Amino acid sequence: MRFVCELSWEYCVSGFALYQLKMNFLRYYPIAGIAFLVFWVWKKDLFQKFRIQKDFPKRERIIFELKQSAITLIMFCAIAVSVYVLGKLKILHIKTYKDFAEYGLGYAIFSFVLLTIWHETWFYWAHRIMHHRKIYPFIHSVHHRSVNPSPMAAYNFHWVEAFLEGVYVVPALCILPLHFYVFLIHTFYAMIMNIWWHLGYEFFPKGWTTHPVLKWINTSTHHNLHHQKFHGNYSLYFNFWDKVMGTNFKDYSEVFENSVGGEKKETISVVPSTYLQKS
């Protein structure tokens, strides 16, 4: 599916907005829905040994995640439309390009890596800021209502958090020349990883978190622990910032090893301080 616009403002902006909305909804809900149906309904007994938390959340919580995800998708659409319009008005100078030959395949791969590193950095620090006691109850607590998240919790954000989750693309698009498909693949990859981290199952092999190389790549357990304990494990794709800033939970490796197809211990959700009670 491709959107074509000859800049008839009224038709073009509304058409682009509708296109973005369709694409966002048609990407997220089917993929998150299939993950939910396979691992949480159809084959949940088969995969139970890989569960990080033994129990499953109540139906009402999953419905809330579904509804709140729509708000996030609408916000992502609003960001895309704003960037598009501001780009057409020359207020933002968007550096996307369509011909791989312009910079070469090597640069395309390099730009994907740079964009991923930028996203990781933005996410970690924005995430930590949202955990500040004066901010958390009003914004990030919406996401943390899912102490035992389902795949549908991947985009379960307050609208302000949805804005912060999506706006990182703006400076990237203005500073870094990005092939359109590189940018598209990045956003798809980010969505898939977000769904995976909220899946509630651990499929990585034992020893992952202590391996000299693999330990730098996050696991589903890493983010699941963040939902259980709140104050730690803030990073997204990689374990770099958590290691550098000392924000990994000390029992991360232990919980991970216990989650990899072994006998499950009881998982206790910990609410570490008073301001989190509002979640």
Side-chain angles (χ1 to χ4, degrees):
M1 190 186 291
R2 207 176 113 213
F3 178 77
V4 178
C5 177
E6 296 299 331
L7 255 194
S8 161
W9 278 104
E10 227 176 277
Y11 165 77
C12 184
V13 174
S14 62
F16 182 74
L18 185 60
Y19 171 78
Q20 281 292 319
L21 209 54
K22 282 180 183 175
M23 292 306 294
N24 280 339
F25 275 77
L26 289 174
R27 283 196 318 175
Y28 176 71
Y29 279 115
I31 294 174
I34 288 170
F36 179 83
L37 289 173
V38 170
F39 293 102
W40 286 59
V41 181
W42 183 38
K43 294 293 184 180
K44 81 179 206 177
D45 292 336
L46 177 65
F47 291 109
Q48 184 65 22
K49 66 179 181 178
F50 298 103
R51 282 286 295 168
I52 300 167
Q53 298 187 53
K54 185 176 68 172
D55 297 329
F56 288 83
K58 292 181 179 178
R59 181 170 173 269
E60 293 76 18
R61 175 57 48 213
I62 294 165
I63 291 172
F64 177 81
E65 292 170 354
L66 273 166
K67 291 178 179 177
Q68 202 65 30
S69 292
I71 292 173
T72 295
L73 293 169
I74 291 168
M75 176 54 72
F76 286 175
C77 175
I79 292 170
V81 172
S82 299
V83 168
Y84 176 78
V85 171
L86 292 173
K88 291 294 182 184
L89 292 173
K90 306 299 181 186
I91 295 171
L92 291 179
H93 299 284
I94 310 301
K95 294 191 174 183
T96 52
Y97 62 96
K98 294 184 178 178
D99 186 358
F100 275 113
E102 191 171 343
Y103 289 90
L105 184 59
Y107 173 79
I109 296 169
F110 176 67
S111 65
F112 179 85
V113 172
L114 279 183
L115 182 56
T116 304
I117 291 171
W118 162 240
H119 187 199
E120 175 69 35
T121 302
W122 173 272
F123 180 89
Y124 178 87
W125 290 104
H127 195 183
R128 280 201 70 175
I129 288 168
M130 285 189 288
H131 271 268
H132 189 280
R133 65 176 61 251
K134 292 186 178 179
I135 299 173
Y136 176 91
F138 305 104
I139 300 173
H140 196 47
S141 63
V142 170
H143 188 63
H144 273 289
R145 288 177 191 175
S146 300
V147 177
N148 186 3
S150 81
M152 296 299 179
Y155 280 177
N156 169 32
F157 302 133
H158 183 280
W159 69 267
V160 174
E161 179 169 1
F163 173 78
L164 291 172
E165 291 281 352
V167 78
Y168 78 94
V169 303
V170 179
L173 290 169
C174 293
I175 295 170
L176 192 64
L178 290 167
H179 190 281
F180 174 74
Y181 287 120
V182 168
F183 179 69
L184 200 63
I185 290 168
H186 165 78
T187 58
F188 187 74
Y189 166 74
M191 183 191 74
I192 293 295
M193 295 307 293
N194 219 331
I195 292 170
W196 187 355
W197 292 163
H198 292 87
L199 190 61
Y201 293 85
E202 187 53 74
F203 295 115
F204 284 176
K206 284 184 179 290
W208 186 281
T209 61
T210 54
H211 188 276
V213 176
L214 298 178
K215 69 180 180 182
W216 296 99
I217 302 172
N218 276 339
T219 66
S220 189
T221 301
H222 184 272
H223 193 69
N224 195 280
L225 266 175
H226 175 74
H227 274 266
Q228 294 178 56
K229 296 187 175 184
F230 303 96
H231 277 317
N233 289 21
Y234 299 111
S235 55
L236 182 59
Y237 310 116
F238 308 113
N239 207 245
F240 174 78
W241 284 112
D242 274 319
K243 283 186 179 295
V244 169
M245 302 306 298
T247 49
N248 275 321
F249 287 118
K250 292 180 180 178
D251 61 347
Y252 167 42
S253 289
E254 180 187 347
V255 174
F256 172 83
E257 292 297 323
N258 181 55
S259 299
V260 184
E263 291 297 319
K264 300 294 181 285
K265 298 174 185 174
E266 285 296 322
T267 306
I268 301 172
S269 298
V270 178
V271 180
S273 63
T274 308
Y275 80 92
L276 294 172
Q277 299 291 348
K278 296 186 180 182
S279 68

